[in-house]
Structure formats: structure tokens, C-alpha cells
């Protein structure tokens, strides 16, 4: 595998970067993060109409751009750079992935075009009270009443669950884990936006009591959901690369211009060497995320590459974000400075979908270490 | 140097044609490597006629892959002449005279001529540009006096890349010249220096009234630093960038084999959990080192590498040390035993065949990874300053004549 980005890939990157720099400035991020929905409707619609970003992975016959994981990773990396606020990971990655891997044709035909056009925002609800991104621990039950399915129980830490129009829920049916679609306004559904550590990414708790649902997966959904997790983890890793790169840039820019003891702090090796280490780690993280994206694009299950990427990218992003605060001194500790926004995103994304040691454990199992 | 287009399939065809003519299972190593050179498959990023095809160094992997499909004999052992191939050749190509390019390059690649690098001195290591070995012009010859140190393979070398001071009144970077030294010249004395493994890979080299013909200068008089930079940039990729191309090969492979063949009950269940996570972490970094190296090669155009080579050199050095440390932990008490008396060998190539106590040896040898070819601290300075553009440190040795700079012995 040679990570060969094509000319089209580079163009996509430039287009997304320009768009994100305009639409997701620090001021915009700060405004949105204080709102409950946490995203801007107009920007979201433009992402669909002007850039076809919302349906990047949606096949053309369902109204999408018909592209793959490599293009998606490029978009995620660029969003990670600017801490883009919006339900992209939930809708364009997880829900789209769940529909593509685990849903029947009818559900795909119904939901994918709406996701791609931005008319509908979707998310996937797997985790429950324990907060574990672990399919074996899903306890929610689905019961069949006549021709209808009903869900009861709690889903927690659901990405953008408070605003999604369509919820794709993992629950246990008689024949094992299955996927269900629940409308946002379904009866017996209560949604609570959660106060998150990372204000730039929203989560919700969803209470279901005999909530009507449509079963969208034909058989057992565990295999499909594993594919979705590999995709989600890979895209999150790509987002982390973008964030880490931005932290490195901020640190370097500051180290060139901040003078103490009569010289730029970047001329002190204590600072210079921190930056050099961040550079090495960011380059490694890039290799990890790209490798995982290319592996999935090449038709592999991608588990090994995804575990590797999530483990490494989480740790290197967090390290870069933490060093970025340190290099900015007292300034880096303030609310006004963006360093804490990256620090919180890094911390939260490190836990999301399983922490680094969990992914190392999975990797070790695959490698039979 | 213009980038040439050649398809992967064309390259594979070329390899197969070569194998028809000279298969490594049938001809000797020198003959086979000579043919690789003639077919432009030696170092593909070199120009045609000089062992290459003028394409990105990333394409070398295609050649290795095709060769490995048809031949089981080891064909690509850079270790046969690591310094010559990794550093000497690109320096000759970039700065050498026509005579040098025509007569030296092929023999470097085949391994007929072993090369060494005469840069470091007792008083200048990281600060190569501060070196004190003197070369003075006398008619058609230069006369050289001084001492070099840590010179790997000097005891088996035909040629040495010698950096010497030709003008002590100029600031340090401006007063050096770069010479091609015939190691058999009178006045060259090579004495072994034993390292912490007991072996003597490297040497002290004493130069006493050594005569070098004037046409053995590389680059112009006083421009030795520029030539040396070419050598050093390539040294980083030669040392750090040659790393394993196969998944799980190299030091991490040894560690994983050791781990998998541990005895039942050797570690407590708690210790197993900790070691397993540590090994997985090392595996991840080893994989990323391999991928980052590959990514760098694929992105590189033909020609000399840039300062980004330091990313891989730094990472490789630090990682390799940690891998061997972990391997010693997995060996447990057995790691306390070493071969009797630390045999004082003097290896004739960098190939590591026939050495006992391999892991323990590698554990010791790895200490050099973050020193040889530029220390890790120097690599971080290079990344900080040349790649990220951070300001340098205030310096007291920059614009003054070399002879006024304070020096340690
Ligand atoms: C919570 C908090 C409370 C504080 N309370 C007080 C207080 O009560 N009174 C008060 O007077 N101050 C206070 N300070 C200020 C504090 O002393 C400074 O923030 C600190 O000295 C760093 O200075 P700086 O923020 O200007 O960063 P800088 O000095 O600009 O440093 C930026 C970065 O460069 C590094 N750096 C700077 N010089 C060197 C060097 N020579 N070598 C290597 N690295 C270097 C620093 O370590 C840091 O990583 C407080 C700060 C904080 C965060
Ligand atoms: C196995 C081996 C093989 C070698 N082979 C060769 C060879 O074939 N030819 C050859 O010419 N040389 C060779 N060397 C020499 C090698 O290049 C030098 O050892 C190396 O450049 C360091 O120089 P030094 O040993 O003089 O250490 P010094 O430069 O004295 O460094 C001592 C310490 O100070 C640190 N330091 C120095 N300057 C700075 C700075 N500016 N900022 C921060 N820290 C600094 C260093 O990182 C190091 O930790 C070899 C070395 C080894 C170990």
C-alpha cells in the first residue's frame, strides 16, 4: 500500500479546507458550541448542496457522491483541523455506514437520499449507561407486538442524539442484535442533550419506553456494526490527525513570535524539541489514519488497521494538544485561547469508541500476541 | 533532474529480463549486483547510465518485490557496503567529477569497494563543521594531517570521504573542503576502537602527511560543507530510512517471536497484561515507522532527500532502543548471561551473520542508534529549525574565524 493520494484527492482537500476556514472560524466554533443544537443549519445545507459532503459515501443511485473511505478521511481531517461543529461523524459516517452495511434496501432507499441532501440528520445509538462502545454489552431489548417492534431502555452518549431526525438503534431481538430505525418524534422517546466536556461535539441520552421502531437489518447485525465501528474509528482517527496538525502549527507559530529572555521561546531547545517530537508523532498518526482508510477502501475489514490508528492517533493528538497548552504558557490556560478547545476535543475523542488501551487489546488479540 | 515516467509493469518486465540474463542463484553476488546496476535497477532514483532510471525512490519497492518472487538468494543487502551505497554514491553523483562517477559508482554498488566516512574527530562530533584536520595544497597534491574517530569500517575500506580544513582563517563553515581519500595511501593508520559490545566496527584513523592528488577534490575548495550536507542528508535516510519494508520484520519481529515462545508461567498474569500492552504499543510504532518511511519514499522525487529524513531517523533510533529493552525484559534471567568475555571481533561488513547472543548483542548495539549519523538531540534541532522553521540558538561561533573558536581537546 503506498498511500497514493490522487490529484482529485488533493483538490477535494483544498476545497474542504477553504470551505471550513470560512465557515468554521474560531468565532463560529465558539458561538455554536454554546448553543444546544451545536451546529449551523445553513452551513450544513451548503455542505450538501455545494460540496456534496453529506453524502460523500452514499452511492450515486441513492443521491450521494459515491466516493469512499479515503475521501471521507480527507474531509474528516480537514474538519478536525478547525474543530468543525456539526453532526458529521454521526450522520455522514456512522449512520451512513450502518445503512450501507446493515440495512435492507427499503431503509437505504428511504434514508440515504435524505442524509445526502441534508434534509435528514441521522445518528447511531449503540452505547448505554456504561458508556462502552462494545456490542456484547448492548442490553436494550426489542419486542415484537404484532407487526410492530417496540424498544424500551436507555441509550447514552449518543452523538447528536438530541437533534437527529432519524435514530438508528442497536437492540437485542430474539434472533440476536438487530438495527432499528426510530423517528425523532416517536411516542415514548425522551431526548436529553448532555453537558459535554468537549463543547464542540454534542451528545444525548435517549429514553425509550415502548417506542415504536422499524427493523431495518435483515439478520444479525453484529458483523455489520463491527464494520461501522471500524469505519467510525478510522474517520475519528483522521479527524484527530487534523487536530494534532493544527496544534503543532499553533505551537510552532507561537514559538517563533513569543519573546522571553530576549529571544523567541522556539530557540530554547526545551520548546524546540517538544515541537520536533510533535512533528514526528503527527506524521506517524497521519500514516496510521491514511493506512486504515486505504485498507477499508481496498475491501479489507480494516479491523487491525482501525485499532492501530485509533490507539495511536488518540494518544498523539492528546499529547499535541497538551503540549500546545504548555508551550503557550499562561495564555494557553485561558478560556480566550483556542488551545483548550483542542485539548478537550482530543481528550473526548480519545475516549469515544473505546480508549487507546482498549484498542491495543483488540489489536493484540488479532495479532495473537 | 527530470522525473521520468515508467510504469510498474515495465519495471517488473525489466527485472524479469535481468533474471533471464543473470539469476542470483547462478551467478556470484558481484556479477549479479553489477547486472542490477547495468539494468538501472540498483538505485532507481539515480539517472540512467549510473545504476538508475531517474524515477522516484518509492519504485525501488517494486523491484524488490519482483525479485523476491523469482529468487530466493539475498540480492538487496545494503549492508554489504552501507556507507558507500547509502552516502558515498549520492555524494559522488551530486558532486563528483566525471571520472569519479564513471569509475566509482558501479563498484560501490557491487560492494567491490567498501567506503568509509571520515568526518568525526575527537574535538568535533555533532559540530562536524568545527573539525580540525588540516589539508594544505602543495602543487598537484594536498597534504593532510589530523585525526578522525568513530570511523566505521575504515579497516576494510578502499575509499574514504574525508572532510578537512583548508582555510583556518575563514569562518568554520567556509573553510572546509571535501576529499576522496584512497585508504591505502601512505600515512593513513587505522586502529580499532572497541565499543560496548566488545566489537570494533569503528576505528581511530590517524592521518600523517597523507598525499591526496588535487583532482580528488569533491566540489570546489572551500565548499566542503555543501558536499558534506549531501552526505549527511543521505546518511539520515540510509541509517533511519532503510528500515524493514515487510510487516513485522526487523527488531519488532524478534521481540514478538521471543514473546510468543515464552514459557508457560514465566510471567504472572498481571505481568503478562502489562508486557502485552507494552509490546503492542511497540508493534504499533514499528508499523507506523515502516509506513511513514514508505510514505516518505513514495512522495520523494529523484534526487537527494531533504531534512524530513530526520523524522524517520529520530523515530527509528528511539524506537529501536525501546524494542530491545523490552526484548531483554521478556528474556528475563537469561538476559543476565552474555557470551564469555565479550569477544573482541573486528567485523568486516555490517552484516550481522554469525553473532551469538543476538538479542543481547542488539540491546547493546542499539545504544548507538541515537548517536551515530547525528544524535537524537541534533535530529530534533534539525526538525525544529529546518522543517518547522523555528529560530536557531544564539551562536558565538558563526561569523568568526575558525581558529578563534574555543574547542575541547
Ligand atoms: C493559574 C496561574 C496562576 C498564576 N498566578 C500568578 C500570580 O499570582 N502572579 C504572577 O505574577 N504570575 C502568575 N501567573 C503567571 C505565571 O507565572 C506565568 O504564566 C509563567 O511564569 C509563564 O509565563 P508566560 O505565561 O508568560 O509564558 P512564557 O514565559 O511566554 O512561556 C511560554 C513557554 O515557553 C517556555 N519557556 C520560556 N522561557 C524558557 C526558557 N528559558 N527555557 C525553556 N523554556 C522556556 C515556557 O516554559 C512555556 O512553555 C500565573 C499563571 C497561571 C497559569
Ligand atoms: C557506532 C557508531 C558509528 C559511527 N560511525 C561514524 C563514521 O563512520 N564516520 C564518522 O565520521 N562518524 C561516525 N560516528 C560518529 C557520530 O557521528 C558522532 O558520535 C555523533 O555525531 C556525535 O558526536 P560526539 O560523539 O562527538 O558527541 P557530541 O557531539 O560531543 O555530543 C555529546 C552530547 O551532547 C549533545 N549535543 C551536542 N550538540 C548539541 C546541540 N547543539 N544541541 C543539543 N544537544 C547537543 C549530543 O546530542 C550528545 O548527547 C559513529 C558513531 C557511532 C556511535
Amino acid at each position: 500500500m503506498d498511500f497514493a493520494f490522487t490529484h482529485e484527492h488533493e483538490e477535494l482537500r483544498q476545497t474542504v479546507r477553504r470551505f471550513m476556514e470560512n465557515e468554521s472560524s474560531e468565532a463560529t466554533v465558539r458561538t455554536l458550541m454554546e448553543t444546544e443544537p451545536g451546529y449551523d443549519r445553513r452551513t450544513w445545507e451548503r455542505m450538501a448542496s455545494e460540496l456534496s459532503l453529506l453524502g460523500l459515501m452514499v452511492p450515486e443511485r441513492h443521491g450521494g457522491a459515491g466516493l469512499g473511505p479515503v475521501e471521507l478521511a480527507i474531509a474528516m481531517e480537514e474538519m478536525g483541523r478547525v474543530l468543525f461543529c456539526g453532526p458529521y461523524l454521526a450522520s455522514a459516517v456512522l449512520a451512513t455506514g450502518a445503512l450501507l452495511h446493515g440495512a435492507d434496501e427499503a431503509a437505504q432507499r428511504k434514508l440515504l437520499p435524505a442524509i445526502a441532501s441534508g434534509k435528514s440528520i441521522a445518528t447511531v445509538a449503540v452505547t448505554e449507561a456504561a458508556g462502552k462502545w462494545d456490542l456484547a454489552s448492548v442490553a436494550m431489548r426489542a419486542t415484537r407486538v404484532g407487526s410492530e417492534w417496540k424498544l424500551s431502555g436507555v441509550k447514552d452518549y449518543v452523538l447528536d442524539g438530541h437533534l437527529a431526525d432519524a435514530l438508528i438503534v442497536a437492540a437485542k431481538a430474539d434472533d440476536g442484535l438487530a438495527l432499528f430505525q426510530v423517528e425523532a418524534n416517536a411516542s415514548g422517546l425522551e431526548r436529553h442533550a448532555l453537558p459535554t466536556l468537549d463543547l464542540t461535539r454534542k451528545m444525548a441520552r435517549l429514553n425509550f419506553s415502548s417506542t415504536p421502531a422499524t427493523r431495518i437489518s435483515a439478520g444479525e447485525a453484529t458483523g455489520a456494526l463491527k464494520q461501522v465501528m471500524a469505519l467510525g474509528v478510522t474517520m475519528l482517527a483522521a479527524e484527530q490527525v487534523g487536530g494534532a496538525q493544527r496544534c503543532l502549527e499553533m505551537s510552532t507559530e507561537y514559538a517563533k513570535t513569543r519573546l522571553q529572555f530576549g529571544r523567541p521561546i522556539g530557540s530554547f531547545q526545551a520548546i524546540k524539541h517538544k515541537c520536533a517530537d510533535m512533528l514526528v508523532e503527527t506524521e506517524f498518526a497521519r500514516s496510521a489514519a491514511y493506512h486504515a482508510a486505504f485498507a477499508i477502501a481496498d475491501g479489507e475489514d480494516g479491523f487491525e488497521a482501525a485499532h492501530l490508528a485509533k490507539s495511536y492517533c488518540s494518544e498523539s493528538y492528546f499529547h499535541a494538544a497538551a503540549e500546545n497548552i504548555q508551550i503557550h504558557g499562561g495564555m494557553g490556560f485561558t478560556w480566550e485561547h483556542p488551545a483548550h478547545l483542542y485539548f478537550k476535543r482530543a481528550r473526548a475523542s480519545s475516549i469515544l469508541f473505546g480508549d487507546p488501551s482498549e484498542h491495543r487489546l483488540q489489536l493484540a488479540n488479532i495479532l495473537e500476541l | 533532474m527530470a522525473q521520468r515516467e515508467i510504469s510498474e509493469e515495465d519495471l517488473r518486465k525489466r527485472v524479469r529480463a535481468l533474471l533471464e540474463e543473470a539469476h542470483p542463484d547462478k551467478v556470484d553476488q558481484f556479477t549479479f549486483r553489477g547486472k542490477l546496476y547495468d539494468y538501472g535497477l540498483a538505485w532507481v532514483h539515480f539517472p540512467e547510465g549510473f545504476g538508475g532510471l531517474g524515477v522516484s525512490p518509492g519504485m525501488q519497492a517494486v523491484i524488490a518485490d519482483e525479485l523476491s518472487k523469482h529468487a530466493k538468494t539475498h540480492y538487496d543487502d545494503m549492508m554489504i557496503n552501507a556507507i558507500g551505497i547509502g552516502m558515498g554514491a549520492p555524494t559522488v553523483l551530486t558532486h563528483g567529477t566525471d571520472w569519479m562517477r564513471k569509475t566509482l559508482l558501479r563498484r560501490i554498488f557491487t560492494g567491490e569497494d567498501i567506503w568509509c566516512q571520515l568526518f568525526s574527530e575527537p574535538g568535533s562530533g555533532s559540530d562536524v563543521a568545527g573539525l580540525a584536520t588540516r589539508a594544505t595544497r602543495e602543487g598537484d597534491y594536498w597534504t593532510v594531517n589530523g585525526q578522525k574517530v568513530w570511523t566505521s569500517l575504515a579497516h576494510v575500506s578502499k575509499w574514504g570521504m574525508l572532510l578537512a580544513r583548508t582555510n583556518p582563517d575563514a569562518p568554520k563553515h567556509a573553510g572546509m573542503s571535501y576529499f576522496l581519500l584512497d585508504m591505502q595511501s601512505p600515512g593513513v593508520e587505522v586502529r580499532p576502537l572497541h565499543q560496548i559490545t566488545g566489537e570494533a566496527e569503528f576505528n581511530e584513523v590517524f592521518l600523517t602527511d597523507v598525499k591526496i592528488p588535487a583532482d580528488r577534490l569533491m566540489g570546489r575548495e572551500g565548499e566542503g560543507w555543501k558536499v558534506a550536507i549531501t552526505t549527511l542528508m543521505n546518511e539520515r535516510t540510509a541509517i533511519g530510512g532503510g528500515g524493514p519494508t515487510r510487516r513485522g520484520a526487523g527488531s519488532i519481529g524478534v521481540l514478538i517471536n521471543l514473546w510468543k515462545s515464552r514459557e508457560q508461567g514465566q510471567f504472572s498474569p498481571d505481568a503478562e497484561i502489562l508486557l502485552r500492552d507494552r509490546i503492542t504499543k511497540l508493534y504499533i510504532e514499528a508499523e507506523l515507522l515502516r509506513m511513514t518511511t514508505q510514505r516518505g519514499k513514495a512522495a520523494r522525487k529523484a534526487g537527494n532527500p531533504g531534512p524530513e529524513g530526520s523524522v524517520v531517523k529520530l523515530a527509528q533510533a528511539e524506537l529501536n532502543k525501546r524494542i530491545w529493552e523490552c526484548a531483554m525484559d521478556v528474556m528475563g534471567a537469561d538476559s543476565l548471561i552474555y557470551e564469555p568475555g565479550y569477544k573482541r571481533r573486528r567485523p568486516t561488513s555490517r552484516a550481522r551473520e554469525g553473532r551469538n547472543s543476538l538479542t543481547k548483542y542488539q540491546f547493546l548495539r542499539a545504544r548507538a542508534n541515537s548517536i551515530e549519523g547525528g544524535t537524537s538531540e541534533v535530529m530534533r534541532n534539525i526538525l525544529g529549525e529546518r522543517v518547522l522553521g523555528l529560530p536557531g540558538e544564539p551562536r558565538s561561533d558563526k561569523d568568526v574565524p575558525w581558529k578563534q573558536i574555543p574547542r575541547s581537546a
Side-chain angles (χ1 to χ4, degrees):
Chain A
M1 197 173 299
D2 55 1
F3 312 103
F5 287 107
T6 61
H7 182 63
E8 287 74 29
H9 288 143
E10 290 311 325
E11 275 187 355
L12 173 69
R13 183 185 293 285
Q14 289 316 317
T15 309
V16 180
R17 179 166 300 184
R18 267 196 307 277
F19 183 85
M20 286 295 152
E21 273 166 6
N22 290 330
E23 296 296 310
S24 184
S25 66
E26 187 189 332
T28 305
V29 168
R30 284 176 183 276
T31 308
L32 292 174
M33 75 185 194
E34 304 281 5
T35 66
E36 191 184 281
Y39 81 111
D40 181 73
R41 186 80 221 170
R42 251 198 34 142
T43 302
W44 189 253
E45 279 162 5
R46 288 185 55 205
M47 283 167 74
S49 60
E50 292 172 27
L51 304 185
S52 306
L53 278 180
L54 303 188
L56 210 56
M57 275 226 310
V58 173
E60 280 165 312
R61 68 192 164 93
H62 291 309
L67 298 172
V70 174
E71 290 80 8
L72 197 61
I74 292 170
M76 286 295 291
E77 186 183 341
E78 292 306 317
M79 291 182 208
R81 268 180 78 84
V82 295
L83 299 173
F84 172 72
C85 296
Y88 196 82
L89 181 58
S91 194
V93 180
L94 295 182
T96 302
L99 287 165
L100 290 175
H101 286 292
D104 51 36
E105 175 70 20
Q108 292 186 354
R109 236 182 302 120
K110 179 173 160 216
L111 290 174
L112 287 173
I115 288 174
S117 68
K119 283 202 191 72
S120 181
I121 290 169
T123 190
V124 175
V126 174
T127 42
E128 302 183 354
K132 292 200 81 178
W133 299 89
D134 167 18
L135 301 176
S137 72
V138 169
M140 178 180 271
R141 293 218 53 100
T143 46
R144 191 165 186 157
V145 188
S147 65
E148 265 211 329
W149 288 89
K150 304 269 191 199
L151 302 181
S152 290
V154 180
K155 288 287 174 186
D156 216 341
Y157 310 99
V158 178
L159 288 176
D160 303 298
H162 59 301
L163 62 88
D165 306 297
L167 304 164
I168 297 170
V169 183
K172 270 188 173 152
D174 291 339
D175 57 339
L177 203 62
L179 289 177
F180 298 88
Q181 191 223 320
V182 174
E183 298 294 338
N185 56 5
S187 65
L189 173 65
E190 275 177 44
R191 312 201 281 176
H192 307 279
L194 299 170
T196 43
L197 173 81
D198 169 13
L199 293 169
T200 64
R201 181 141 52 215
K202 307 294 185 183
M203 292 180 168
R205 178 179 304 127
L206 311 177
N207 289 316
F208 298 78
S209 54
S210 277
T211 305
T214 312
R215 179 163 173 161
I216 58 173
S217 66
E220 233 285 329
T222 305
L225 276 169
K226 280 192 178 155
Q227 293 289 310
V228 177
M229 287 318 295
L231 179 72
V233 151
T234 299
M235 294 310 139
L236 191 54
E239 185 193 274
Q240 290 171 322
V241 169
Q245 174 66 32
R246 190 61 205 123
C247 288
L248 170 63
E249 288 169 12
M250 271 191 266
S251 291
T252 315
E253 283 156 23
Y254 192 69
K256 284 180 196 171
T257 49
R258 169 72 174 171
L259 302 181
Q260 288 293 280
F261 305 97
R263 43 196 267 218
I265 58 169
S267 68
F268 298 116
Q269 289 190 349
I271 298 298
K272 184 179 295 168
H273 288 190
K274 274 188 200 297
C275 291
D277 287 336
M278 284 161 79
L279 170 65
V280 171
E281 288 177 28
T282 305
E283 285 306 316
F284 270 40
R286 212 181 281 290
S287 297
Y290 294 169
H291 172 250
F294 275 97
I296 297 175
D298 281 358
E300 296 173 26
D301 65 28
F303 297 155
E304 184 181 329
H307 290 307
L308 192 156
K310 179 57 167 54
S311 167
Y312 192 86
C313 296
S314 292
E315 289 188 343
S316 52
Y317 186 14
F318 182 71
H319 186 227
E323 294 289 47
N324 189 37
I325 291 183
Q326 182 64 20
I327 289 169
H328 281 81
M331 173 86 88
F333 186 66
T334 62
W335 187 266
E336 276 68 31
H337 196 275
H340 73 105
L341 302 178
Y342 285 86
F343 181 74
K344 291 166 184 168
R345 172 68 77 86
R347 186 67 252 182
S349 69
S350 166
I351 299 294
L352 197 62
F353 307 158
D355 70 22
S357 54
E358 176 63 30
H359 284 281
R360 275 199 299 278
L361 185 64
Q362 300 299 336
L363 177 62
N365 288 340
I366 293 174
L367 297 171
E368 296 174 353
L369 286 180
Chain B
M1 213 175 297
Q3 189 83 0
R4 229 190 81 159
E5 293 293 333
I6 181 163
S7 76
E8 208 181 297
E9 197 35 50
D10 285 348
L11 209 51
R12 289 185 189 275
K13 268 192 209 140
R14 203 175 259 264
V15 173
R16 291 194 292 269
L18 156 78
L19 288 169
E20 296 245 316
E21 193 185 332
H23 196 283
D25 296 347
K26 297 192 187 113
V27 300
D28 69 48
Q29 168 145 281
F30 290 144
T31 311
F32 174 66
R33 294 180 69 85
K35 282 291 165 205
L36 269 179
Y37 185 93
D38 299 337
Y39 272 79
L41 303 172
W43 29 50
V44 270
H45 59 293
F46 274 41
E48 278 182 271
F50 295 109
L53 298 168
V55 300
S56 160
M59 298 289 265
Q60 199 73 41
V62 176
I63 298 171
D65 179 63
E66 190 64 26
L67 281 170
S68 70
K69 280 193 208 155
H70 307 287
K72 52 182 189 303
T73 307
H74 209 176
Y75 46 82
D76 189 27
D77 191 4
M78 239 271 273
M79 293 300 180
I80 193 175
N81 185 17
I83 295 173
I85 292 176
M87 299 141 69
T91 309
V92 168
L93 179 72
T94 313
H95 302 284
T97 61
D98 284 345
W99 171 82
M100 290 179 190
R101 285 196 209 118
K102 282 201 194 100
T103 45
L104 300 174
L105 286 174
R106 194 174 187 277
R107 294 177 63 85
I108 290 177
F109 184 75
T110 59
E112 285 157 284
D113 293 345
I114 305 290
W115 281 52
C116 66
Q117 175 195 22
L118 297 153
F119 281 21
S120 302
E121 298 182 3
S124 349
S126 300
D127 181 16
V128 198
L131 56 81
T133 292
R134 280 286 274 127
T136 40
R137 179 81 186 244
E138 284 159 20
D140 287 344
Y141 286 87
W142 290 86
T143 304
V144 184
N145 280 287
Q147 187 201 333
K148 296 291 174 176
V149 75
W150 322 129
T151 318
S152 305
L153 300 173
H155 55 293
V156 287
S157 287
K158 163 69 181 160
W159 297 107
M161 295 171 265
L162 171 70
L163 198 55
R165 187 152 308 280
T166 43
N167 180 3
D169 297 312
K172 65 180 190 178
H173 291 95
M176 287 180 292
S177 302
Y178 196 118
F179 300 91
L180 178 67
L181 170 65
D182 183 339
M183 293 296 286
Q184 274 69 57
S185 310
V188 177
E189 191 200 342
V190 178
R191 291 187 206 156
L193 268 175
H194 292 271
Q195 54 216 46
I196 67 175
T197 55
E199 294 189 323
E201 283 173 282
F202 54 30
N203 303 272
E204 294 179 286
V205 178
F206 296 87
L207 304 165
T208 313
D209 292 328
V210 177
K211 298 263 182 275
I212 303 182
D215 62 5
R216 299 272 168 88
L217 199 61
M218 285 215 241
R220 275 197 289 263
E221 182 185 341
E223 289 183 357
W225 183 243
K226 197 171 117 192
V227 185
I229 288 293
T230 301
T231 311
L232 293 170
M233 292 278 201
N234 279 287
E235 177 168 35
R236 266 159 233 152
T237 28
I239 287 184
T245 48
R246 266 183 316 113
R247 183 166 161 254
S251 52
I252 192 68
V254 177
L255 171 60
I256 286 174
N257 282 339
L258 270 175
W259 172 247
K260 287 190 169 174
S261 56
R262 71 193 179 281
E263 312 237 320
Q264 185 90 46
Q266 188 183 338
F267 301 101
S268 72
D270 286 349
E272 289 245 338
I273 291 172
L274 295 174
L275 270 170
R276 192 172 186 240
D277 188 59
R278 189 168 151 205
I279 292 166
T280 311
K281 232 178 185 161
L282 292 169
Y283 173 84
I284 289 173
E285 287 181 54
E287 271 292 275
L288 295 176
L289 175 68
R290 184 179 66 79
M291 293 174 201
T292 306
T293 308
Q294 240 174 289
R295 210 154 56 78
K297 276 189 196 155
R300 239 183 82 196
K301 305 264 180 269
N304 287 306
E308 343 51 79
S310 296
V311 166
V312 166
K313 159 72 169 91
L314 170 60
Q316 145 107 26
E318 297 304 318
L319 175 63
N320 210 36
K321 289 193 290 187
R322 282 161 55 220
I323 288 175
W324 291 117
E325 286 160 21
C326 187
M328 292 291 271
D329 286 348
V330 173
M331 288 176 106
D334 185 36
S335 70
L336 299 174
I337 309 302
Y338 205 78
E339 59 184 335
Y342 282 99
K343 290 224 183 66
R344 305 299 175 92
R345 295 189 187 84
R346 213 177 171 191
T348 52
S349 85
R350 286 215 165 178
R352 305 247 151 74
E353 76 282 351
R355 289 181 188 171
N356 298 328
S357 310
L358 205 60
T359 298
K360 303 162 203 177
Y361 166 83
Q362 293 288 10
F363 161 72
L364 296 174
R365 179 60 180 80
R367 283 298 116 185
N369 294 163
S370 51
I371 301 170
E372 59 194 336
T375 67
S376 287
E377 289 73 27
V378 167
M379 290 305 127
R380 291 190 180 94
N381 285 345
I382 291 169
L383 290 176
E385 293 169 23
R386 310 270 156 221
V387 178
L388 296 174
L390 293 170
E393 285 164 271
R395 294 176 61 161
S396 49
D397 65 347
K398 203 89 200 244
D399 300 313
V400 292
W402 171 82
K403 60 184 183 190
Q404 287 171 19
I405 300 169
R407 334 178 15 83
S408 56

